[in-house]
Amino acid sequence: MPRDLGIDVATFRKECRLFDLLDDSGRLRMMDAAEHAAYADGAIVVREGDPGDAMYVIRGGTVRVVIDALEGEKEVARLGPGSFFGEMSVVLGEPRSATVIAVGAVDAWRFGRPSIDGILADYPRVREALARLSLKRSELTLEKMMESDAADSGPDDEPGDADA
Ligand code: CMP
């Protein structure tokens, strides 16, 4: 064990399916890069528009993923134990696509750059998997944004309906 995270590599592997795509040497590197991060209810873990300095794996608790839509804050997803987030800006080199907020107490692993960049450079399979998921997530976010735009135009028609 490179660093004492209080768990062995086999236990670490079970915490996130992403770790299955690495070999033991890669998993040990991830363990070496992992920092324990704990958040209280309502804490902002990453903020939309900020540079991506890390990605996270949720060990316990739930987070809300929200975007700044036309009509205000819009929730696009909730993620729980075993899920990861913050990968999009790390892989795509873009600012944070959303704000991630703790719902209740959240326990996570934080993988800072440049450690994560080094690992992803040596495991292109993992980088590709993250890039594919990032695209799916941006599509989903866009869909949610359109949904809210459509919902927005609905009430505008209502006064006319009421007059009829
Ligand atoms: P990143 O853009 O670095 O920071 C915000 C994170 O929210 C993003 O990475 C993803 O991990 C996550 N995220 C954004 N959109 C979605 C979505 N539609 N579903 C799940 N997670 C998302």
Side-chain angles (χ1 to χ4, degrees):
M1 219 190 300
R3 268 177 66 211
D4 187 14
L5 295 180
I7 54 173
D8 61 16
V9 69
T11 309
F12 182 77
R13 178 179 183 163
K14 288 187 198 136
E15 293 197 348
C16 181
R17 288 186 63 189
L18 189 65
F19 301 153
D20 275 335
L21 299 177
L22 296 158
D23 53 17
D24 264 348
S25 144
R27 283 187 279 273
L28 287 170
R29 281 173 70 184
M30 287 294 278
M31 288 177 80
D32 208 28
E35 295 160 45
H36 185 242
Y39 301 93
D41 182 37
I44 292 178
V45 185
V46 309
R47 195 183 291 273
E48 186 175 350
D50 280 358
D53 57 350
M55 66 171 280
Y56 302 79
V57 168
I58 304 171
R59 303 188 72 204
T62 305
V63 298
R64 302 169 62 217
V65 179
V66 303
I67 51 164
D68 194 7
L70 280 180
E71 76 282 18
E73 181 186 278
K74 164 99 182 154
E75 182 173 308
V76 295
R78 279 187 182 228
L79 304 172
S83 299
F84 53 85
F85 61 90
E87 80 294 350
M88 288 172 66
S89 53
V90 166
V91 170
L92 306 175
E94 289 170 2
R96 295 290 190 200
S97 61
T99 296
V100 178
I101 306 166
V103 181
V106 170
D107 193 22
W109 294 126
R110 178 184 186 276
F111 302 95
R113 294 171 99 167
S115 310
I116 192 73
D117 285 338
I119 296 167
L120 294 181
D122 292 340
Y123 291 86
R125 220 156 61 100
V126 182
R127 169 172 276 279
E128 272 164 36
L130 289 178
R132 274 201 305 274
L133 183 74
S134 294
L135 281 180
K136 274 201 181 146
R137 283 180 164 177
S138 0
E139 279 169 16
L140 189 75
T141 298
L142 203 63
E143 269 171 33
K144 294 271 183 184
M145 223 187 261
M146 303 300 268
E147 262 174 31
S148 60
D149 283 353
D152 224 20
S153 64
D156 289 342
D157 299 326
E158 273 172 20
D161 293 342
D163 289 340

